[in-house]
Amino acid sequence: MTLSPPVVGILGGMGPAATVDFYRKLVEATPAGTDQEHLPVVIWSDPRVPDRTAALVGDGEDPTPVLRAGVTGLAAAGVRLLAVACNTAHAFVPPLAAEAGLELVSIIDVTARQLAATLPAGATVGLLATEGTVTSRLYHDACAAVGLTVLAPEPAEQARVTAAIAAVKAGTADASGAAALAEVLGTLRDAGAEAAIAGCTEIVLALAAGTDTDTDAVLPVVDPADLLAHEVVRRARELRPDPADAMS
Amino acid sequence: MTLSPPVVGILGGMGPAATVDFYRKLVEATPAGTDQEHLPVVIWSDPRVPDRTAALVGDGEDPTPVLRAGVTGLAAAGVRLLAVACNTAHAFVPPLAAEAGLELVSIIDVTARQLAATLPAGATVGLLATEGTVTSRLYHDACAAVGLTVLAPEPAEQARVTAAIAAVKAGTADASGAAALAEVLGTLRDAGAEAAIAGCTEIVLALAAGTDTDTDAVLPVVDPADLLAHEVVRRARELRPDPADAMS
């Protein structure tokens, strides 16, 4: 028997709870009735990656060496597609994927394409993300390329977003964080946003901690991790349409 | 910077949903306030492993080669501890861990030790598991070694357990499966069991699909995946008490 290596590599750990959530979304996005019909996956979840935002907005340690170790480890395992379960890390990952010979399925690009397909041309999109993602203009640039304008919160509102993300990472997310995010969404809507990007893998978890907060009633929120999961399934199946083929 | 490899390897994919659940339990079992305090983990989730039960009770394909590929892949990534998120696979995995030089944290042994610590000597414990786990007597033998007797369901009841597990793997678990498991637990209790082992990683997910079914009122159910998660955290911290040490 020749067993091909797993096709999909997930670089996670940023943070671990968001990695659990992303893998769950990938499993749920896979049309499968038995174990054997699911995608073979290797997940490299090393949370020792230094804080991405601290490196982007201040003088924090460069996360590149730890990110490179993960990308290299996944490449050594034989994967071909790379999915990174952290929006902010996309400010660092594209050259690392290229040097390892992996095809990056970018959470940023997938999201920008999906928004362009569903919103009117020239629409404004709100952004809930880390300061690092906002400062790096990852979503600003990707959305501009498809004719959309990104609107990030003002500094005082951004601080509330940052606090909600930190609470998820600390395991202390509660309804107050979700309520704060709902208010930020309201401000973005009032400023002209027609939808918002949950542009940090922890944002969806923060929103879920508020069972009484229906943020979609405030502004439709797009989950990039969910879009990425579906795109990874689609690309993996293109590479190997029938999982059983790999067994022969 | 010298970055040590991730300490913990998880062999998953059997099935993928149970792997998501096990990694979530590991994250929740870790005392951590920031990403960086969590355990570095590599998860090898290759669902192409042939059905373990079919190999144990019939003439199904031997899962050993695919399991070996995963164990070898994790060893190549540099992990030292191996946790396997599938009870039935423990009928095959111990020699593979040994040949790869990995320390297996056995879900079976952890569970037997915990039961012995909490139940009266000589107690009887019910077993909800795959036919493969029942036939291989993994839990029977490990519990006998600590003075406990394992009681598996009669064939007609076992068929209901098997169906509930298959529904989780197919993504079709609902309240009827949880209700069936509650009835099987009642039968085991009436036959003398003082507790039960959720001895397949899908059983807990099947029970969770029945929101109106309080199975703990029927018989206390022990979750081996949860016990394994806590034991992995304990052993990993013994190997490297302070995660920050690995960064220097």
Side-chain angles (χ1 to χ4, degrees):
Chain A
M1 186 192 69
T2 308
L3 184 71
S4 60
V7 164
V8 176
I10 298 172
L11 188 66
M14 306 171 276
T19 306
V20 170
D21 187 58
F22 177 69
Y23 186 39
R24 183 180 59 73
K25 285 169 179 162
L26 187 68
V27 171
E28 291 178 356
T30 308
T34 65
D35 286 1
Q36 289 74 18
E37 289 163 25
H38 279 273
L39 293 173
V41 170
V42 180
I43 303 172
W44 194 284
S45 189
D46 190 340
R48 292 173 296 177
V49 180
D51 188 275
R52 284 70 64 198
T53 288
L56 288 167
V57 304
D59 55 358
E61 187 184 347
D62 182 4
T64 302
V66 185
L67 290 170
R68 180 180 280 120
V71 172
T72 306
L74 288 169
V79 309
R80 293 169 61 186
L81 297 179
L82 176 65
V84 181
C86 171
N87 292 265
T88 318
H90 282 69
F92 304 93
V93 157
L96 303 178
E99 76 185 33
L102 298 182
E103 185 182 339
L104 176 66
V105 187
S106 162
I107 197 170
I108 312 288
D109 295 344
V110 167
T111 303
R113 279 202 305 272
Q114 175 68 20
L115 288 168
T118 51
L119 291 176
T124 295
V125 183
L127 176 61
L128 300 182
T130 64
E131 263 191 90
T133 296
V134 172
T135 303
S136 68
R137 303 189 62 81
L138 288 167
Y139 277 111
H140 293 72
D141 294 346
C143 288
V146 293
L148 300 173
T149 301
V150 164
L151 180 66
E154 298 296 320
E157 303 271 277
Q158 177 62 44
R160 304 176 76 186
V161 176
T162 300
I165 293 169
V168 172
K169 289 183 183 293
T172 60
D174 60 19
S176 68
L181 292 177
E183 290 182 18
V184 176
L185 286 170
T187 306
L188 292 169
R189 177 200 57 203
D190 295 346
E194 296 181 41
I197 302 168
C200 169
T201 42
E202 270 81 7
I203 289 285
V204 173
L205 302 177
L207 290 171
T211 47
D212 293 340
T213 309
D214 180 8
T215 49
D216 269 341
V218 181
L219 199 60
V221 175
V222 169
D223 178 7
D226 193 48
L227 298 177
L228 178 62
H230 283 87
E231 180 70 4
V232 166
V233 171
R234 195 182 68 74
R235 300 268 276 275
R237 290 165 74 95
E238 273 177 8
L239 285 175
R240 198 179 52 206
D242 179 1
D245 285 355
M247 297 298 294
S248 56
Chain B
M1 185 191 71
T2 308
L3 184 72
S4 61
V7 165
V8 177
I10 299 172
L11 188 65
M14 306 170 278
T19 306
V20 171
D21 188 58
F22 177 69
Y23 186 40
R24 183 180 59 74
K25 284 169 179 161
L26 187 68
V27 171
E28 291 177 356
T30 308
T34 64
D35 287 0
Q36 288 75 18
E37 288 163 26
H38 279 272
L39 293 173
V41 170
V42 180
I43 304 171
W44 194 284
S45 189
D46 191 339
R48 292 173 296 178
V49 180
D51 187 274
R52 285 69 64 196
T53 288
L56 288 167
V57 303
D59 55 359
E61 187 184 347
D62 182 5
T64 302
V66 184
L67 290 170
R68 180 180 282 120
V71 172
T72 306
L74 288 168
V79 309
R80 293 168 63 185
L81 298 179
L82 176 66
V84 182
C86 171
N87 291 264
T88 318
H90 282 69
F92 304 92
V93 156
L96 303 179
E99 77 186 31
L102 298 182
E103 185 182 341
L104 176 66
V105 187
S106 162
I107 197 169
I108 312 289
D109 294 345
V110 167
T111 303
R113 282 202 304 272
Q114 174 69 20
L115 287 168
T118 52
L119 292 176
T124 296
V125 182
L127 176 60
L128 301 182
T130 63
E131 263 191 89
T133 296
V134 172
T135 303
S136 67
R137 301 187 65 80
L138 289 167
Y139 277 111
H140 293 74
D141 295 345
C143 287
V146 293
L148 300 172
T149 301
V150 164
L151 180 65
E154 298 296 322
E157 303 271 277
Q158 177 61 44
R160 305 178 75 186
V161 176
T162 301
I165 293 169
V168 172
K169 288 184 185 292
T172 60
D174 61 19
S176 68
L181 291 177
E183 290 182 20
V184 176
L185 286 170
T187 306
L188 292 169
R189 177 200 56 203
D190 295 345
E194 297 182 40
I197 302 168
C200 169
T201 41
E202 269 81 8
I203 289 285
V204 172
L205 302 178
L207 290 171
T211 48
D212 292 341
T213 309
D214 180 9
T215 49
D216 269 343
V218 181
L219 200 60
V221 175
V222 170
D223 178 7
D226 194 46
L227 299 176
L228 177 62
H230 282 88
E231 180 70 4
V232 166
V233 171
R234 196 183 66 74
R235 299 269 276 275
R237 289 165 76 95
E238 274 178 8
L239 286 175
R240 198 178 54 205
D242 179 0
D245 285 356
M247 298 297 295
S248 57

